Amino acid sequence: MTLRVVLADDQRIVRDGLVTLLGLLPGIEVVGAAADGAAALGLVAEHAPDVLLTDLRMPGVDGVEATRRVRAEHPGTAVVVLTTYVDDEAVVPALRAGAAGWLSKDADAEAIGRALRSAAAGQTTLDPVAAARLVGASAPPPAPAPGALPDGLTPREAEVLTLIAEGLSNQQIARRLVVGEATVKTHVNHLFAKAGLRDRAQAVRYAYRHGLAGG
């Protein structure tokens, strides 16, 4: 299936470059390009794309607000945000608003393609090193001692959480742990329920906060 994408960036040279770049990737079609968040919302309503790829810093409706409104009004459209700096303070609000991941503007075509496909599949794309900075974990805290896992997580659930924080998909986690993908999904569902997590972006922040990632 062709992945349908709307993109938004207030800098025309960046916007036009992204249109050209995405047009070269197989299986991806840009169905609209906007200069600000308000226009992006209109294009999402018109085209119902699989993914909105949006800049964070735009006049008027910025990437955070666009993300929030898209996820509330068009839940079938995933959002990936673009940022110039990995420690952009707006990234965390965007993730809280429902973004499925974020990319640096100097990411290559392959990384952009992977992020868009992961977002459309309901997965989160986060760089683990930069994610640690974003949650204030400049020095990862020591891992909790056995038996002291938060929220009643089992050791296996904690292990799955750590792999999520590394950016692995359920399929990749299954291969790493040599178990079935259905088993991984069960562990993910259980740990999300225990920790009160809504999505993988929240899971990454939870993992760093509790010392289950970054070591």
Side-chain angles (χ1 to χ4, degrees), residues 66-141:
T67 297
R68 184 179 296 111
R69 290 174 59 180
V70 165
R71 296 304 299 150
E73 300 168 16
H74 308 282
T77 297
V79 180
V80 173
V81 296
L82 285 167
T83 181
T84 303
Y85 305 105
V86 296
D87 55 357
D88 190 326
E89 64 183 13
V91 171
V92 170
L95 295 175
R96 288 174 179 162
W102 62 270
L103 291 167
S104 168
K105 284 190 177 181
D106 57 7
D108 60 25
E110 294 298 323
I112 294 174
R114 285 195 301 271
L116 295 176
R117 293 186 181 93
S118 293
Q123 300 170 359
T124 300
T125 300
L126 292 172
D127 181 280
V129 174
R133 295 177 66 184
L134 290 170
V135 296
S138 56

